[in-house]
Amino acid sequence: MSNTNQTMSGKVALVTGASSGIGEAVALALSAAGARVAVGARRVDRLDVLAQSAPGEMLALRLDVSDQSSVRAAVAATIERFGRLDVLVNNAGLMLTGLIDGADTAEWERMVGTNLLGTMYMTHAALPHLLESKGALVQLSSTSGRVANAGGGVYAATKFGVNAFSESLRQEVTAHGVRVVVVEPGFTATELTDHISDPASRAMATQLATRMRTLRPDDVAAAVLYAVTQPAHVSVNEILIRPTDQTQ
């Protein structure tokens, strides 16, 4: 990191879902690269700890991406504190996998509200500031945004939706100098699988994790940092990153 510790100097980033996993790793990587970073999540106590350990200035914000008023307040607080916004990382997400037959449809609503609508709300609120700064929008999608598997239909639907939304947005804003980056990680060692309520799906996810060398959050953060530190004329639109051991 020593050669790149100022590559984001003067830049401001906002990272959602930053209380653990990929979001936390991305926030720390951007901070180490010289950015001032606002971090949002519902578990704000974890964000306070993160902010204290960050290499640079970090602002902790209570944020529920499925709530439009919370989204607007987080963007406004970021602008109020730092005066600009150069990078938005839409990372907040839920993976509540399970078969469609007999599913608890309340879990579907939570996933669509967070993974898809939450990403849309954050993008909508931040876009005027990204247009002003000719900034970058990073969408954390998934390999499930490319290939749907049995037991992951609704999660995949949200990630396919993120990919479609992002490509449409890219066509709208690229001529204005805003870069849209979709990052699609495969199996990553995070807390995401801890929230699966379906016992069979949870057992399958645990079993998969023991059979492969999973990605680490830092691996995904390195991909995000690579994309947002390219020269202004270079737009890295899509990064698909899997564990070597993952076949699908």
Side-chain angles (χ1 to χ4, degrees), residues 168-180:
S168 178
L169 179 69
R170 184 195 67 79
Q171 293 179 28
E172 286 186 30
V173 300
T174 193
H176 301 285
V178 174
R179 297 178 289 181
V180 178

Side-chain angles (χ1 to χ4, degrees), residues 107-233:
E107 292 193 344
W108 296 1
E109 290 183 20
R110 286 180 61 203
M111 275 194 288
V112 171
T114 300
N115 300 2
L116 185 54
L117 279 174
T119 292
M120 292 175 172
Y121 293 155
M122 284 302 309
T123 300
H124 182 260
L127 196 55
H129 306 289
L130 295 175
L131 285 163
E132 189 177 334
S133 65
K134 297 187 185 301
L137 173 67
V138 180
Q139 312 280 50
L140 261 297
S141 182
S142 168
T143 50
S144 294
R146 286 177 169 235
V147 180
N149 295 306
V154 180
Y155 178 70
T158 66
K159 295 301 187 178
F160 268 75
V162 166
N163 287 12
F165 177 76
S166 302
E167 174 56 19
S168 178
L169 179 69
R170 184 195 67 79
Q171 293 179 28
E172 286 186 30
V173 300
T174 193
H176 301 285
V178 174
R179 297 178 289 181
V180 178
V181 183
V182 176
V183 180
E184 299 159 311
F187 210 107
T188 308
T190 71
E191 295 180 3
L192 210 56
T193 56
D194 296 348
H195 305 291
I196 298 172
S197 62
D198 179 69
S201 293
R202 190 165 177 172
M204 186 181 295
T206 304
Q207 187 183 25
L208 274 173
T210 61
R211 288 212 311 259
M212 70 172 80
R213 297 165 294 170
T214 58
L215 296 177
R216 299 183 308 273
D218 286 348
D219 299 324
V220 183
V224 172
L225 190 63
Y226 162 77
V228 299
T229 54
Q230 293 305 300
H233 70 287

Side-chain angles (χ1 to χ4, degrees), residues 8 11-15 26-27 30-31 35-39 59 78 82 84-89:
M8 295 291 290
K11 304 289 189 185
V12 174
L14 170 56
V15 182
V26 168
L30 292 170
S31 181
R36 292 173 293 166
V37 184
V39 286
L59 171 65
T78 303
F82 298 127
R84 60 184 292 132
L85 181 61
D86 300 277
V87 178
L88 170 64
V89 181

Side-chain angles (χ1 to χ4, degrees), residues 1-9 25-37 53-58 225:
M1 198 69 80
S2 58
N3 294 330
T4 59
N5 64 353
Q6 291 305 312
T7 53
M8 295 291 290
S9 182
V26 168
L28 287 172
L30 292 170
S31 181
R36 292 173 293 166
V37 184
S53 66
E57 190 179 356
M58 191 172 278
L225 190 63

